[in-house]
Amino acid sequence: MTNIIKSPTLVQTQPTYQVCNRCVMDTSAPDIRFDSNGICNYCQDFEQLLSNPQQRRAELERLVEKVRRDGKGKPYDCIVGLSGGVDSAYTLFKLKELGLRPLAVHMDNGWDSELAANNIQKLIQGLGVDLYTHVIDWEEYRDLMQAFFDADVIDVELLYDNAMLAVNYNLACKYGLHYILAGTNHATEGMAMPPGWNWFKYDVRNIWAIQKRFGRKKSIRTFPTLSFSRYVWLTKVRRISWVWFLDYVEYNKPAALAFLAEKYGFKPYPYKHYESIFTRFYQGYILPRKFGVDKRRLHLSTLIISGQMNREDALNDLQNIPYPDQQTLQKDIEYFLKKMGWTASELDNYIQRPGKSHLIYGSEELLYRVTMKIWRVLKSIKSSIHKITF
């Protein structure tokens, strides 16, 4: 999961359609720009983030030593979130291979696919690591989701992402750890998220404002949250670091998947984050139809620029629906309707309603932007002082 701050702008229709000549990002991204060769700012900016292998190896050695030293005398030396997808699974494998003692953490919000559950079980048994699973009461979570649907905001996954962050940071606090080593990485998800395609992941005020306005339940007992102010305290005072671990290793997703499949019986998913039934339905059906957003463009473009996929294959992929097949889509629609207690007409009505900005319901996003602006000014001043001193 990438922590991202996005502007409140909703997806807007561009006057002239254009797709990048190098990746597959197009004018569905509101702030996309193209140079004279038709190359977009998204792939140009992303390319600058990729580091060389020699630099990665040296940084990995330093990171492992710091994590191992910090974990002395503790039952674990790091936390690793485990979703059932290939990125987090390969992260867990590499940590064990490097001799670290991770606690695997999974959050169950009621939408795990059977495939994800099987992948997690096989990996945990094969690696011999401890697994902590936080289960959110389904009725509470369904009420929160329904509130977000009624609000017509784009980022329904804010609920899962914020709770997942809270669970990981809370466990780091519990065991006195300073490192959360995540499967987030630039090789498969480093390209910047376009404005309006998601929302600020620490926006607890937004969650509770929407729940208060549209929710049916008055008390929420099992849903963990992480506010921006607590995030600042955890990272700056408690000094807990969320580390994009796979940036430190040579990571090729198809090769990692083949290895995990052969060694642990790991089963693949057609697209990124499809280990969750809801995420699959959200990204493959809700986002394209209600908000005009196809996140495959972002994921496929990232693989193109990192050399793990060619552009022609990505363009061919985009000609198909963002689902394994039409039959799976129909099954997911039926499953979603049953689980949420909706009728088909209620789903159609939701899809047809226009999207609304998260900002109209109350948000911590402004606090974030002001804080980050102050932080950048202070860093600039500190850097200037350092240059003068030395």
Side-chain angles (χ1 to χ4, degrees), residues 22-49:
R22 187 177 181 195
C23 67
V24 292
M25 289 298 290
D26 67 357
T27 42
S28 62
D31 65 341
I32 197 167
R33 302 184 306 277
F34 301 93
D35 65 14
S36 58
N37 296 314
I39 308 300
C40 78
N41 55 302
Y42 279 90
C43 59
Q44 291 177 10
D45 293 344
F46 171 61
E47 191 172 32
Q48 297 177 10
L49 296 174

Side-chain angles (χ1 to χ4, degrees), residues 184-196:
T184 43
N185 65 98
H186 285 99
T188 65
E189 57 183 335
M191 191 170 285
M193 188 73 68

Side-chain angles (χ1 to χ4, degrees), residues 283-298:
Q283 293 193 6
Y285 186 84
I286 292 176
L287 281 181
R289 291 177 181 245
K290 183 176 176 71
F291 298 99
V293 170
D294 188 345
K295 282 192 174 180
R296 290 181 304 169
R297 288 194 175 275
L298 196 67

Side-chain angles (χ1 to χ4, degrees), residues 19-77:
V19 61
C20 178
N21 288 334
R22 187 177 181 195
C23 67
V24 292
M25 289 298 290
D26 67 357
T27 42
S28 62
D31 65 341
I32 197 167
R33 302 184 306 277
F34 301 93
D35 65 14
S36 58
N37 296 314
I39 308 300
C40 78
N41 55 302
Y42 279 90
C43 59
Q44 291 177 10
D45 293 344
F46 171 61
E47 191 172 32
Q48 297 177 10
L49 296 174
L50 300 176
S51 58
N52 63 67
Q54 186 176 1
Q55 179 184 354
R56 281 198 299 266
R57 283 193 294 270
E59 291 176 347
L60 176 62
E61 291 176 3
R62 288 193 293 269
L63 173 64
V64 170
E65 178 55 33
K66 287 191 294 183
V67 174
R68 186 178 289 122
R69 185 169 59 246
D70 182 68
K72 282 187 177 179
K74 302 172 185 177
Y76 312 103
D77 48 28

